[in-house]
């Protein structure tokens, strides 16, 4: 029995590629990790402090004890992993769904074919699976094992072996600093207790010259949603007016419920402005590139791989106007906007 | 004479240049603008064609547009008025759509090219289709059938063509069926109902049809009722496309066939719901084939001709084409490589040359390679910049032998040679090639490159002489398959060894390759055959989902970088990537590390 258990553990570890193991680090001391197997026990261990971490179903557990508020969020997602997979899903239909979004297409187009990509707060991992093409190595990190298990199962079902899911907390990340060409984190930091500190942790993970793609609730664009939520609260969320996403999902109770919980009942939520994010960028040596949707007035639609290039301008008044505009254009999706930045290469001041 | 043909503004804009009766250049706008199904006025395509012919716009004798915009506007207006008051909501939108630049084509062409309005001609939509089908086919005397969604008024037309080498050309359209009765719209309505993109997803309906049983055929026959004269009429209460632009099928349609499929929902013919969609697809496919077979049988009887030229978007339906060849009584069925609206650019130019200007008939090469050629060294340059391993194999035989080896070893190869194809299909100049033998390579192709629905088949390419060894071809089938225009059964004894290209119903949409027009691709198939025993390769278009087929070497290279293609060949340059399985090997290395640690 022990040999069967150890064989299973060894197989679990074998699922983790060396390339992705190199992108992980000890959450306690940031040391390098290596696979080990002693007797019936197998897992990964820190080469510096010798801390050991278990691997179940190919998902390493690199989470150390979190603070109370983070734990509340983790519990929240454990109940209903978000966003989940429809029955009989396939890689083809997952990609077709993702490619309906212009944002996903632009992002995929801009990431090089051999990039090391990190998605922080990957949930059930759809975006990680979508981005895992060509020779990319993708790590999907999340707090909630229940979500990651769904992602890992989907990756195995679809035969995608370029994604590794990792259970970890951004505040004590089991991820190697300065290792990633692209760090993508959308709809996550505004659910952490201290988004500014979380961003500082996130920025450390990107390579010098690497790109950070950050999606947050916008303070202005979320006002309509908050009004809607206030109205919904009056009826104890039995009756929520003006939510097209909820209406679309009336026929699918599980997905409707997932959206309801995520948007209306979340225990931790912050909202941010373009100026605030640019301030975080400056604090952490990240050069501002652009926003999505574009904050420039009458901007040309992006083509090809332009997503990771600097916008023509960055004028705070124009940004402010854009946020007002987004209150009209982004409200139905909850007011999430994307900011793209480049980690400044400190060894080489003029970017290539 | 120098004549430029243009098609634009509905879908698949294109331009084609004819000099002294011979095509010089033809290209779809999407290949240059890199926007899939680009319908915009094809300025880049026109510029490239003129550059290719070394012409200035003022050197042109005529510019021909592929349809008559005013006639089309008349149709839209009439239909909107007929459908009043039901159409009042969509009326402003319909007017806005058509009254923009679509009506003022003459002014647009004249202002873009700086040529006088007198040089601008218009050919009727179905005459362009007919010319594209008949005047590019190697036949002097043929019946013509063009079927599509809609042009101005006609949705289907029947005619005959006659030409004498060096002499006069006659093209008469004898009869037409008018909007809203349209086989193209019938098929597109089912395409939309089944949750696929119209003008794009019709292939998927055809692929899905093979999984189903036509148990709804009677319902479809009721919708597309046969008339006493052998044609058909649609029962318009099932449709909405003539009254609104929002939805093409009506509530009655849903009552008959059940709820429509939501786009992007996974579709698995193995489930009851998926089986219903497959049965619906099979039913509409069957009824389409029945109508076309009856029409062509009648046409064969009335004309007594032995050749048939098929045009219009419906001629892309390879299953229907194969049935027409088998059952109509025609000896030869010719389908041009670009039967759709893009091909009308060439068709309109040929029509103007031969009919309007009465120029003598001139035979020209029977191939689709009228697009931009590869710039030599382009791939070598960009790959060098990124530090990729590359090789030059300037000796043709060495290149072919090398690639055949790689294909035999299970590699997936991006293959770019010469001028790109005119039309929607990759025919060996901008193709992704791999072994057709196991399902394994096909699955990898799907998982890492194409991401197609599982129910869509991949197509094989085979030397024309060997085609009937592996495929069950009727007489004339090898010719029909030259541009992948027909779907034919794979011979039972080969099906298991050609698993990757054999569809669920045992068929394949094969391409037959001719040594005379395609020496290099032919040599590759032969060389591969010497290694594997079967000279058949899986040939799929070189593009990623949602993108147009690659055109220049840089686009091929960028695509190669962004997906799991193992090897890229452009001209005589070969670029390779780490084998796609390398990462998994690393994974095994991690496992063996773990084992070592255990010891």
């Amino acid at each position: 029995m022990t040999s069967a258990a150890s064989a299973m553990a060894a197989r679990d570890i074998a699922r983790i590629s060396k390339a992705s193991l190199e992108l992980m680090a000890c959450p306690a001391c940031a040391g390098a990790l290596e696979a080990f197997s002693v007797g019936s026990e197998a897992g990964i261990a820190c080469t510096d402090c010798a801390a050991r971490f278990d691997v179940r179903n190919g998902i390493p557990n690199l989470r150390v004890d979190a603070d109370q508020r983070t734990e509340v969020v983790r519990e929240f997602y454990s109940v209903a992993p978000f966003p989940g997979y429809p029955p009989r899903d396939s890689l083809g239909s997952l990609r077709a769904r993702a490619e309906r979004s212009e944002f996903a297409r632009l992002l995929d187009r801009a990431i090089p074919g051999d990039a090391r990509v990190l998605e922080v707060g990957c949930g059930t991992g759809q975006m990680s699976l979508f981005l895992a093409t060509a020779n990319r190595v993708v790590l999907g990190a999340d707090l909630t094992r229940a979500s990651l298990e769904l992602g890992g199962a989907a990756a195995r079902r679809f035969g995608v072996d370029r994604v590794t899911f990792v259970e970890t907390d951004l505040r004590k990340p089991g991820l190697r600093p300065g290792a990633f060409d692209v760090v993508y984190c959308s709809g996550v930091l505004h659910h952490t207790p201290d988004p500014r500190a979380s961003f500082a942790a996130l920025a450390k993970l990107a390579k010098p010259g690497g790109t950070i793609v950050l999606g947050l609730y916008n303070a202005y664009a979320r006002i309509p949603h908050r009004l809607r939520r206030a109205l919904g609260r009056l009826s104890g969320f039995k009756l929520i007016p003006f939510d097209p996403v909820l209406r679309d999902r009336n026929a699918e109770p599980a997905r409707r419920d997932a959206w309801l919980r995520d948007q209306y009942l979340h225990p931790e939520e912050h909202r941010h402005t373009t100026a605030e994010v640019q301030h975080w960028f400056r604090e952490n040596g990240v050069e501002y590139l652009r926003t999505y949707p574009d904050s420039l007035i009458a901007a040309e639609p992006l083509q090809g791989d332009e997503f990771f290039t600097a916008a023509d301008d960055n004028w705070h008044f124009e940004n402010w106007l854009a946020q007002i505009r987004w209150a009209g254009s982004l409200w139905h999706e909850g007011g999430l906007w994307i900011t793209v930045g480049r980690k400044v290469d400190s060894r080489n001041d003029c970017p290539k | 004479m120098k004549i430029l043909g243009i098609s634009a503004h509905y879908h698949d804009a294109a331009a084609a240049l004819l000099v002294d009766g011979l095509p010089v250049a033809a290209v779809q706008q999407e290949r240059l603008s890199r926007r899939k199904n680009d319908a915009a006025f094809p300025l880049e395509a026109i510029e490239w064609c003129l550059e290719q012919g070394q012409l200035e716009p003022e050197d042109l004798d005529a510019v021909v547009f592929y349809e008559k915009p005013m006639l089309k506007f008349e149709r839209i207006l009439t239909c909107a008025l007929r459908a009043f008051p039901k159409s009042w909501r969509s009326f402003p939108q319909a007017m806005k759509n058509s009254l923009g630049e679509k009506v003022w084509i003459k002014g647009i062409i004249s202002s873009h090219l700086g040529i006088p309005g007198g040089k601008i001609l218009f050919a009727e939509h179905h005459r362009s289709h007919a010319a594209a089908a008949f005047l590019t086919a190697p036949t002097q005397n043929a019946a013509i059938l063009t079927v599509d969604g809609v042009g101005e008024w006609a949705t289907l037309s029947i005619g005959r063509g006659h030409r004498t080498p060096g002499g006069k050309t006659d093209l008469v359209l004898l009869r037409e069926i008018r909007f809203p009765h349209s086989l193209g719209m019938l098929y597109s309505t089912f395409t939309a109902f089944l949750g696929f993109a119209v003008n794009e997803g019709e292939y998927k309906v055809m692929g899905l049809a093979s999984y189903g049983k036509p148990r709804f055929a009677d319902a479809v026959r009721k919708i597309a009722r046969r008339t006493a004269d052998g044609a058909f009429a649609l029962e318009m209460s099932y449709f909405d496309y003539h009254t609104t632009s929002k939805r093409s099928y009506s509530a009655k349609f849903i009552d008959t066939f059940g709820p429509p499929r939501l786009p992007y929902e996974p579709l698995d013919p193995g489930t009851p719901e998926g089986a219903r969609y497959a049965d619906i697809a099979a039913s509409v496919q069957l009824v389409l084939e029945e109508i076309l077979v009856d029409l062509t049988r009648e046409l064969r009887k009335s004309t007594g001709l032995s050749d048939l030229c098929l045009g219009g978007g419906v001629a892309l339906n390879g299953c229907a084409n194969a049935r027409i060849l088998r059952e109509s009584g025609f000896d030869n069925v010719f389908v041009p490589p670009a039967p759709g609206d893009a091909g009308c650019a060439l068709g309109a130019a040929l029509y103007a040359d031969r009919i309007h200007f009465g120029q003598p008939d001139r035979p020209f090469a029977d191939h689709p390679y009228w697009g931009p050629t590869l710039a030599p060294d382009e791939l070598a340059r960009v790959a060098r910049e990124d530090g990729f391993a590359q090789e030059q194999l300037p000796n043709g035989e060495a290149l072919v032998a090398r690639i055949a080896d790689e294909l035999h070893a299970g590699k997936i190869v991006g293959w770019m040679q010469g001028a790109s194809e005119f039309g929607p299909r990759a025919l060996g100049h901008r193709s992704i090639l791999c072994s057709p033998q196991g399902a394994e390579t096909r699955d990898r192709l799907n998982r890492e490159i194409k991401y197609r629905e599982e129910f869509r088949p991949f197509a094989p390419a085979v030397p024309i002489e060997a085609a009937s060894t592996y495929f069950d071809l009727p007489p004339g089938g090898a010719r029909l398959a030259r541009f992948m225009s027909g779907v034919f059964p794979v011979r039972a004894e080969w099906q298991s060894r050609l698993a990757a290209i054999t569809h669920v119903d045992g068929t394949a949409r094969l391409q037959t390759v001719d040594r005379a027009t395609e020496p290099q691709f032919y040599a590759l198939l032969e060389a591969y055959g010497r290694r594997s025993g079967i000279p058949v390769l899986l040939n799929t278009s070189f593009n990623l989902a949602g993108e147009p087929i690659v055109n220049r070497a840089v686009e091929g290279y960028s695509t190669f970088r962004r997906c799991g293609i193992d090897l890229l060949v452009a001209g005589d340059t070969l670029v390779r990537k780490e084998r796609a399985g390398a990462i998994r090997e690393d994974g095994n290395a991690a496992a063996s590390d773990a084992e070592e640690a255990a010891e």
Side-chain angles (χ1 to χ4, degrees), chain B residues 257-522:
Chain B
F257 296 102
R261 181 180 154 258
L262 295 173
Y264 308 108
E265 211 175 67
L267 176 63
D268 177 359
T271 63
E273 199 55 5
R276 178 171 69 90
Y277 297 130
D279 291 346
I280 293 171
S283 308
V284 65
Q285 178 68 31
L286 177 72
V287 173
L288 174 82
E289 288 172 11
E290 286 172 357
I291 295 176
L292 290 175
V293 165
D294 286 353
L295 281 168
T296 47
R297 214 180 261 159
E298 182 58 36
L299 187 59
R300 159 82 184 146
K301 259 190 227 129
S302 62
T303 59
L305 295 166
S306 60
D307 291 350
L308 171 68
C309 294
L310 278 178
V314 176
L316 288 165
N317 193 310
C319 295
N321 295 346
R323 266 198 74 180
I324 290 172
L325 176 66
R326 239 178 253 266
E327 298 179 27
S328 66
F330 283 103
D331 298 339
N332 290 304
V333 173
F334 298 107
V335 178
D341 281 5
C344 281
L346 182 58
L350 283 166
Y351 187 82
D353 185 73
R354 305 289 200 274
I355 315 274
H356 182 80
F357 293 111
Q359 294 292 307
D361 179 64
R362 294 187 63 182
F364 54 84
D366 179 25
H367 66 64
Y369 309 111
W370 303 115
T373 48
L374 293 171
D377 306 334
E378 188 177 64
L379 177 60
R381 181 169 50 77
V382 290
R384 196 178 309 123
E385 279 168 11
D386 285 343
F388 261 84
Q390 53 173 295
E391 291 165 50
Q392 300 290 329
L393 293 166
N395 174 349
E397 270 173 42
L399 177 75
V400 161
R402 173 66 191 282
I403 299 305
D405 282 338
E406 299 278 4
L407 287 165
H408 189 49
K411 297 286 165 60
I412 297 177
V413 176
W415 175 258
M416 306 177 76
Q417 295 296 344
S420 69
E421 299 91 346
F422 182 53
R425 277 161 189 160
L427 298 168
H429 280 204
R430 301 290 186 272
S431 290
I432 295 174
L433 305 175
C434 73
S435 155
Q437 297 186 357
E440 196 180 294
T441 318
R442 179 198 56 192
D443 289 344
R444 187 154 78 86
L445 185 64
N446 237 338
R447 195 170 61 234
E448 300 191 2
I449 301 162
K450 300 293 276 194
Y451 310 107
R452 281 192 180 180
E453 291 89 345
E454 283 68 17
F455 58 82
R456 284 180 66 198
F458 284 104
V462 59
I464 198 158
E465 296 81 6
S468 49
T469 312
Y470 305 101
F471 304 95
D472 182 12
L473 300 178
R479 177 57 180 76
L480 182 60
R482 274 203 54 190
F483 310 132
M484 276 191 191
S485 304
V487 173
F488 298 104
V490 183
R491 289 193 186 275
E493 61 270 33
W494 294 104
Q495 287 190 0
S496 61
R497 293 180 65 189
L498 292 171
I501 54 94
T502 305
H503 198 28
V504 61
D505 57 355
T507 61
R509 194 186 66 196
L510 69 150
Q511 177 197 359
T512 49
V513 182
D514 197 355
R515 188 198 295 274
T517 52
E518 271 304 272
Q520 193 177 26
F521 193 33
Y522 190 95

Side-chain angles (χ1 to χ4, degrees), chain B residues 11-22:
Chain B
H11 45 91
D12 291 345
L17 179 66
L18 216 59
V19 174
D20 298 328
L22 300 180

Side-chain angles (χ1 to χ4, degrees), chain A residues 10 13-19 21 35-39 43 86-97 99-100 108-114 130 132-137 158-162 252 303, chain B residues 33-35 262-268 271 273-274 388 446-448 451-454 545-547 558 560-564 577-584 586-591 593-595 597-599:
Chain A
I13 295 160
R15 284 203 188 120
I16 304 169
S17 70
K18 197 166 194 172
L21 196 61
F36 76 92
S37 173
V38 181
R88 303 186 309 281
D89 207 6
S90 68
L91 186 58
S93 53
L94 178 133
R95 290 196 61 91
R97 272 200 312 279
E99 282 178 355
R100 287 158 78 187
D108 184 37
R109 192 72 176 72
I111 300 177
D114 49 6
F130 171 69
T133 56
N135 291 357
R136 292 176 190 158
V137 182
F158 300 162
V160 176
D161 54 7
R162 305 187 176 285
E252 303 162 276
Q303 301 270 323
Chain B
S33 72
R34 309 308 301 159
R35 270 189 286 271
L262 295 173
Y264 308 108
E265 211 175 67
L267 176 63
D268 177 359
T271 63
E273 199 55 5
F388 261 84
N446 237 338
R447 195 170 61 234
E448 300 191 2
Y451 310 107
R452 281 192 180 180
E453 291 89 345
E454 283 68 17
E547 294 179 11
S558 139
F560 161 77
R561 292 288 309 269
R562 288 183 290 126
C563 69
K577 197 159 48 179
E578 290 301 307
R579 207 168 69 79
I583 293 206
R584 187 184 279 153
D586 287 356
N588 294 338
D593 286 352
E595 278 159 23
E599 281 167 24

Side-chain angles (χ1 to χ4, degrees), chain A residues 165-334:
Chain A
F165 291 105
V166 186
E167 181 184 350
T168 193
D169 179 0
L170 182 57
R171 298 294 297 274
K172 286 253 186 213
L175 302 160
R176 194 154 68 83
F180 295 92
D181 299 294
V182 178
V183 176
Y184 168 70
C185 176
S186 180
V188 175
L189 295 194
H190 50 235
H191 291 320
T192 61
D194 183 354
R196 183 175 162 189
S198 302
F199 181 78
L202 186 83
K204 284 197 187 80
L205 300 172
K207 235 179 220 173
T211 310
I212 295 173
V213 182
L214 178 67
L216 294 169
Y217 289 148
N218 187 273
Y220 297 86
R222 205 158 166 84
I223 290 170
H225 178 80
R226 296 173 73 194
L227 292 174
R228 180 167 68 189
R229 187 164 56 189
L231 282 174
R233 194 170 284 135
L234 294 177
S235 68
F237 297 107
K238 298 267 182 316
L239 201 74
I240 299 167
F242 315 118
D243 191 328
V245 179
L246 275 184
R247 209 181 319 129
D248 282 353
R249 294 182 181 188
N250 268 341
E252 303 162 276
R255 289 187 68 220
R256 185 185 186 277
D257 199 44
W259 178 257
L260 181 77
R261 281 173 54 83
D262 187 67
Q263 291 293 312
Y264 294 89
L265 305 169
H266 208 288
E268 185 84 50
E269 181 189 306
H270 305 261
R271 291 158 296 274
H272 309 277
T273 62
T274 52
E276 194 180 355
V277 169
Q278 294 200 22
H279 180 65
W280 296 353
F281 274 24
R282 281 192 297 276
E283 282 180 339
N284 293 286
V286 177
E287 175 197 1
Y288 167 81
L289 294 178
R290 62 169 64 250
T291 65
Y292 183 89
D294 216 306
S295 55
L296 300 184
I297 292 166
E300 288 276 320
L302 290 177
Q303 301 270 323
D305 55 3
E306 289 175 350
F307 199 57
F308 289 177
T309 59
D312 294 337
D313 201 3
N314 178 25
W315 184 30
H316 61 88
F317 180 66
E318 214 174 358
N319 291 342
W320 181 77
L321 279 181
Q323 295 179 83
I324 304 287
R325 214 163 56 227
W326 293 342
S329 60
L330 298 182
W331 65 274
H332 52 279
E333 295 275 345

